[in-house]
Amino acid sequence: MAAGYDYEEAPGTYDDANRQDVGYDPNFVPDSVKSFVVHLYRHIREKNVYEIHQMYEISFQTLSDRLFKDTPWPSVDAVAHYVDNDQVFCLLYREMWFRHLYARLSPTLKQRIDSWDNYCSLFQVVLHRVVNMQLPNQWLWDMVDEFVYQFQSFCQYRAKMKNKTEQEIALLRQFDQAWNVYGVLNYLQAFVEKSNIIQILEQEKEGGEQFTATDGYDYSGGSNVLKVLGYFSMVGLLRVHCLLGDYQTGLKCLLPIDISQQGVYTSVIGSHIATIYHYGFANLMMRRYVEAIHEFNKILLYIYKTKQYHQKSPQYEQILKKNEQMYALLAICLSLCPQVKLVEETVNSQLREKYGEKMARMQRYDDEAFAIYDELFSYACPKFITPSAPSFEEPLVNYNQDAYRLQLKLFLYEVKQQQLLSGVRTFLKVYSTISLGKLANYMEVDETTLRSILLTYKHKTHAVDSDGKIISNADLDFYIDDDMIHVVESKSVKRYGDYFLRQIVKLEGVITDMDRIKLE
Amino acid sequence: MGRETPKQQQVSYTVEQLVAVNPYNPDILPDLENYVNEQVSSQTYSLDANLCLLRLYQFEPERMSTQIVARILVKALMAMPAPDFSLCLFLIPERVQMEEQFKTLIVLSHYLETGRFRQFWDEAAKSRHIVEAVPGFEQAIQTYAIHVLSLTYQKIPRPVLAEAINIEGLSLDKFLEHQAANSGWILEKGHGRGQLIILPRNEFNHPELKKSAADTVPLEHITRIFPILG
């Protein structure tokens, strides 16, 4: 089992609380913070989305870096009177406050519980009251993303029962509703339902509604908050279901979003990456390798082309991390389903650089190969969780790795079943026809075993897609006529049509540019 | 029985609705359990409902019924080639999977996944109590076997087919006649070695039938250059 899998975050103990408190006065509000909240509050009231976005994305980061590197922001009580004690603004401020805390420090159990309470209050307001705000998509995505992240973090934290203090156990018992899985799922589901987002997307296809065209923003005087939260909650649900190991339902939750097109999910890079990462991973676990390769290829190319524009952004590190993880997943997919022609040139060369050697070893299917599958899977997989409440009976154990161990075990089991296919592929590449007897000889198995192996090859390379249809993954295929194997190689056809189209458009562009030049 | 049937239909309609509209709700657990039993007795199947139940068991392990879980797994096995069996396993805790009946089911799945039909039928015969509890099991596996054989063979020797679907002798003759009459199978005399069965043509055992989409250019792409051409 790869040793590297451990949740990066240190457990929140009371020592950390003390560390937080050193030099931290929750009631001290520097002038820059006062100015920040006053302006942000005004921009929100005036629905000035651009300014809100600037302050949220840039000013908040700058102030955090300068003043709150390792302490929390001032408490909400200290700033409330600068913003008319506005309830909604305070909930939003607290959301940012906790997010900053999780990012820079280690939350204590009490803080985790308080953050849950804050989300509940904030979400109740959005779901049950008419909220007259327009917030930037970045912020709304971050809310959903952070909500799921804190849930994941809490489950990991709670599952480490061994070194819990008495106070922590008492708190856990007392606040057993905090971050319970039903609550998390039902909030996300409530957003999807109350926002009517599924119907909106349906009607948009028929031209009845405007949503994607306006990036989710409401230009007729209303609010985008509920709709966009509903939209991003679909990605949130995909993510939670992946954490639970339910890939089928996760993909179902994402279904209303058409990932073959641009959409609101691509308007925020974090959302784009999270969507495709989980979509690809779910397809990998469902053995739909071609679909996973297809999507990973697209997003890796996109990141390659655009990551330079995000260098200053607070999400940059996360983007790079997910990029590396998806290369690892792509390496796994291609080792199980060699379809190199699906991978674009740039992505392929990156892949070779990072994992070329490992991929060669994975396809040998020996003990070393399994160790590499283990390593890559453990590196790239989501942080699976055990959603049920812990047993408080002695002896207290850590069970935070149970969920991950199960998914890894089942994945490696699948890899093992495909072990003999690599050998078959090698032979099929060399022959156009070969008798079963001869091939059995070369592979040092009896004919009956060979027939089983060939059936396995067919079964594993012909996946069942979401509509129940059979799709062939095989780059190399065959059929058997009595006792003769006839090999069929699917020729990689050069896509002349595409090439000509691209060149035509390019030439037209050059001519247009030339026309614009005025000669002296 | 006659009066019960409409009520049963009403319950299953409601359960599907529940799963679609209110799946994260511990109160529907008994309905979902009943629904599993109903799927077994009426030879129907709903992966979504069963996954919903397995999730609820995951949320509240004390309420898990291993008997129900075993039935779900058998139904999932019957859904092959769909990967439903592994999808269910992803949601069942490891310590539960270590129990005897689940180890057996996993072995059965393994044999089916790797085309080892003879070993499968041998093991299934030893585990009658598990598999005979679910009507339609045998036929479902035979359908799967024929599916994989149809991907692989244009012509298949009789003994190979017999072993895969676990039918021999006169029963096999009857079976083959039925398939020839209704599913386009052709029975041929092999060269001295016995009967050959020609399976229906499809794009997987007859690659020439595969539509090559590789070099077609979709119309939407051509519309991009209409302004240039025009």
Side-chain angles (χ1 to χ4, degrees):
Chain A
M1 213 71 84
Y5 188 89
D6 204 14
Y7 203 60
E8 299 99 50
E9 194 190 284
T13 63
Y14 278 132
D15 283 339
D16 287 329
N18 291 335
R19 185 162 61 83
Q20 279 178 29
D21 287 342
V22 169
Y24 171 59
D25 176 9
N27 295 313
F28 171 60
V29 183
D31 280 338
S32 41
V33 173
K34 175 184 168 188
S35 167
F36 175 82
V37 298
V38 165
H39 284 106
L40 184 59
Y41 177 55
R42 180 166 58 90
H43 291 316
I44 291 178
R45 276 194 345 269
E46 293 172 0
K47 287 173 142 183
N48 191 335
V49 174
Y50 175 77
E51 286 297 335
I52 299 172
H53 187 247
Q54 292 297 104
M55 294 199 70
Y56 172 81
E57 180 95 337
I58 301 173
S59 315
F60 187 79
Q61 289 310 312
T62 319
L63 284 175
S64 297
D65 284 335
R66 238 180 48 212
L67 300 172
F68 307 111
K69 249 191 154 68
D70 45 22
T71 60
W73 275 59
S75 77
V76 70
D77 297 322
V79 302
H81 62 281
Y82 296 125
V83 293
D84 302 335
N85 289 296
D86 184 274
Q87 186 208 9
V88 178
F89 184 87
C90 289
L91 291 171
L92 290 171
Y93 177 84
R94 279 199 104 201
E95 200 265 328
M96 292 164 67
W97 191 95
F98 280 112
R99 194 150 12 103
H100 167 84
L101 183 83
Y102 269 80
R104 309 268 179 154
L105 300 148
S106 285
T108 64
L109 175 53
K110 189 66 180 49
Q111 285 167 337
R112 292 180 188 269
I113 295 169
D114 288 341
S115 180
W116 163 258
D117 283 336
N118 193 58
Y119 274 119
C120 287
S121 305
L122 179 57
F123 290 165
Q124 301 277 10
V125 166
V126 176
L127 286 167
H128 301 298
R129 279 184 19 199
V130 177
V131 155
N132 196 20
M133 290 189 294
Q134 287 248 71
L135 294 178
N137 286 347
Q138 177 75 56
W139 193 345
L140 294 168
W141 162 251
D142 283 344
M143 261 189 236
V144 175
D145 191 39
E146 182 72 15
F147 180 63
V148 176
Y149 166 74
Q150 290 191 13
F151 167 60
Q152 170 192 303
S153 168
F154 183 80
C155 289
Q156 294 282 340
Y157 159 82
R158 185 178 58 178
K160 294 186 202 151
M161 288 300 291
K162 226 165 159 179
N163 295 320
K164 291 270 183 291
T165 65
E166 267 183 47
Q167 300 104 311
E168 283 170 317
I169 294 178
L171 265 181
L172 278 174
R173 280 196 136 116
Q174 183 187 3
F175 293 102
D176 60 353
Q177 286 309 297
W179 296 111
N180 77 91
V181 64
Y182 289 116
V184 171
L185 284 168
N186 280 314
Y187 269 121
L188 293 172
Q189 179 76 357
F191 278 127
V192 174
E193 269 165 34
K194 258 237 141 170
S195 64
N196 228 17
I197 186 65
I198 298 180
Q199 288 81 341
I200 291 175
L201 290 172
E202 277 295 308
Q203 281 163 3
E204 187 175 51
K205 274 191 227 155
E206 293 151 27
E209 278 271 353
Q210 281 241 322
F211 180 74
T212 310
T214 59
D215 256 354
Y217 292 109
D218 189 313
Y219 291 126
S220 43
S223 164
N224 72 334
V225 174
L226 181 58
K227 270 187 283 191
V228 176
L229 282 178
Y231 182 90
F232 284 136
S233 290
M234 291 190 280
V235 183
L237 283 168
L238 166 63
R239 192 168 154 199
V240 175
H241 284 284
C242 285
L243 292 174
L244 298 171
D246 186 353
Y247 307 107
Q248 163 96 353
T249 312
L251 289 178
K252 259 201 147 184
C253 292
L254 190 71
L255 216 47
I257 298 180
D258 182 358
I259 60 166
S260 70
Q261 311 264 11
Q262 299 281 321
V264 174
Y265 76 101
T266 55
S267 67
V268 177
I269 186 151
S271 143
H272 192 182
I273 291 176
T275 306
I276 301 300
Y277 165 81
H278 288 95
Y279 178 82
F281 187 83
N283 273 283
L284 162 62
M285 296 305 268
M286 292 181 73
R287 305 185 218 157
R288 299 193 192 142
Y289 303 118
V290 169
E291 186 60 24
I293 293 168
H294 184 70
E295 287 303 324
F296 284 140
N297 176 60
K298 259 176 33 193
I299 188 110
L300 288 169
L301 185 61
Y302 177 76
I303 295 175
Y304 182 80
K305 287 187 183 158
T306 59
K307 67 174 182 243
Q308 51 184 315
Y309 304 118
H310 296 275
Q311 264 173 1
K312 300 272 171 55
S313 134
Q315 289 101 18
Y316 191 57
E317 240 180 77
Q318 248 297 89
I319 295 172
L320 292 181
K321 175 97 199 271
K322 278 279 168 296
N323 187 55
E324 292 305 305
Q325 286 178 316
M326 288 193 284
Y327 270 109
L329 293 177
L330 184 58
I332 291 176
C333 288
L334 286 171
S335 299
L336 291 171
C337 172
Q339 288 262 23
V340 192
K341 63 184 176 182
L342 288 176
V343 183
E344 207 268 348
E345 239 176 86
T346 326
V347 175
N348 199 25
S349 67
Q350 290 278 304
L351 183 67
R352 294 287 140 208
E353 215 182 284
K354 295 174 206 281
Y355 292 114
E357 203 202 308
K358 292 203 165 139
M359 282 172 71
R361 294 196 295 199
M362 283 196 281
Q363 288 181 52
R364 276 186 226 138
Y365 283 103
D366 50 19
D367 281 338
E368 200 198 344
F370 289 118
I372 301 178
Y373 273 111
D374 185 322
E375 179 196 326
L376 293 187
F377 183 89
S378 302
Y379 169 68
C381 69
K383 298 271 190 280
F384 303 109
I385 56 170
T386 306
S388 52
S391 148
F392 292 107
E393 291 165 31
E394 295 288 336
L396 297 175
V397 290
N398 284 354
Y399 61 92
N400 56 308
Q401 298 242 10
D402 284 4
Y404 148 74
R405 267 203 285 263
L406 175 62
Q407 301 300 311
L408 173 67
K409 179 178 172 186
L410 292 171
F411 169 72
L412 289 177
Y413 189 70
E414 176 66 31
V415 173
K416 196 133 211 295
Q417 282 182 347
Q418 301 201 24
Q419 190 173 14
L420 291 166
L421 304 189
S422 186
V424 172
R425 205 172 266 123
T426 320
F427 283 106
L428 291 183
K429 273 205 173 111
V430 186
Y431 292 95
S432 55
T433 49
I434 180 171
S435 74
L436 276 164
K438 225 178 181 179
L439 182 55
N441 230 347
Y442 290 152
M443 290 184 70
E444 296 176 356
V445 295
D446 61 40
E447 246 185 70
T448 318
T449 309
L450 178 61
R451 285 190 194 268
S452 288
I453 295 172
L454 294 172
L455 285 179
T456 312
Y457 184 93
K458 278 288 191 173
H459 169 59
K460 293 294 187 188
T461 57
H462 288 73
V464 183
D465 75 2
S466 46
D467 302 314
K469 269 179 51 219
I470 305 290
I471 308 271
S472 169
N473 277 342
D475 54 337
L476 208 55
D477 212 343
F478 66 90
Y479 63 89
I480 307 180
D481 186 342
D482 191 5
D483 64 344
M484 281 303 273
I485 305 167
H486 299 256
V487 181
V488 183
E489 184 154 1
S490 51
K491 296 186 189 66
S492 70
V493 185
K494 268 199 178 285
R495 301 179 68 100
Y496 293 116
D498 263 3
Y499 179 75
F500 279 130
L501 275 175
R502 275 204 306 273
Q503 298 305 316
I504 290 171
V505 172
K506 218 173 175 180
L507 179 62
E508 186 65 15
V510 169
I511 294 176
T512 315
D513 284 343
M514 281 169 61
D515 279 342
R516 281 205 218 110
I517 297 172
K518 288 185 173 54
L519 290 174
E520 295 295 312
Chain B
M1 268 320 270
R3 257 200 313 159
E4 268 181 52
T5 320
K7 195 172 164 198
Q8 276 178 340
Q9 282 175 341
Q10 197 181 41
V11 168
S12 56
Y13 179 64
T14 316
V15 170
E16 290 286 3
Q17 270 193 324
L18 282 174
V19 170
V21 169
N22 193 9
Y24 316 120
N25 175 7
D27 295 336
I28 69 173
L29 192 144
D31 296 294
L32 292 171
E33 286 181 329
N34 290 334
Y35 196 41
V36 173
N37 292 327
E38 199 192 298
Q39 289 173 51
V40 168
S41 57
S42 63
Q43 295 199 45
T44 51
Y45 179 58
S46 170
L47 176 65
D48 285 335
N50 295 346
L51 288 175
C52 187
L53 178 56
L54 289 175
R55 274 198 316 265
L56 292 180
Y57 283 155
Q58 208 190 29
F59 300 165
E60 294 174 84
E62 350 53 85
R63 294 175 79 183
M64 175 186 277
S65 154
T66 49
Q67 199 210 30
I68 297 277
V69 175
R71 299 184 122 193
I72 290 177
L73 285 177
V74 175
K75 287 301 259 181
L77 213 52
M78 290 160 66
M80 284 187 81
D84 296 8
F85 191 82
S86 7
L87 295 184
C88 293
L89 280 188
F90 286 133
L91 295 173
I92 300 170
E94 213 174 326
R95 54 177 171 75
V96 174
Q97 292 189 28
M98 303 293 261
E99 289 177 26
E100 209 50 54
Q101 59 174 335
F102 294 108
K103 288 214 307 228
T104 307
L105 287 169
I106 291 171
V107 166
L108 288 175
S109 158
H110 179 71
Y111 287 147
L112 289 179
E113 286 283 335
T114 53
R116 296 189 179 110
F117 290 107
R118 189 181 53 78
Q119 290 94 318
F120 170 80
W121 292 114
D122 286 346
E123 186 66 41
K126 283 192 249 159
S127 321
R128 289 218 125 87
H129 56 288
I130 301 177
V131 300
E132 270 176 10
V134 181
F137 181 77
E138 209 176 319
Q139 293 93 303
I141 304 302
Q142 285 164 340
T143 307
Y144 164 66
I146 291 168
H147 157 79
V148 190
L149 295 175
S150 302
L151 294 178
T152 316
Y153 289 92
Q154 284 189 359
K155 290 187 195 166
I156 180 172
R158 183 186 162 113
V160 175
L161 173 67
E163 188 179 85
I165 59 176
N166 200 36
I167 307 178
E168 275 289 3
L170 288 174
S171 311
L172 182 56
D173 290 328
K174 261 181 76 182
F175 179 82
L176 290 173
E177 273 165 36
H178 184 262
Q179 294 294 105
N182 296 304
S183 310
W185 289 26
I186 301 171
L187 312 175
E188 196 189 83
K189 272 236 153 35
H191 33 266
R193 287 207 303 122
Q195 197 176 28
L196 275 184
I197 294 103
I198 305 178
L199 295 171
R201 296 157 65 90
N202 58 57
E203 67 182 276
F204 304 113
N205 63 7
H206 279 80
E208 69 271 17
L209 292 179
K210 197 185 276 194
K211 301 184 195 72
S212 173
D215 205 23
T216 54
V217 184
L219 184 60
E220 304 95 68
H221 292 188
I222 307 279
T223 55
R224 264 195 290 149
I225 63 167
F226 277 170
I228 303 171
L229 299 176

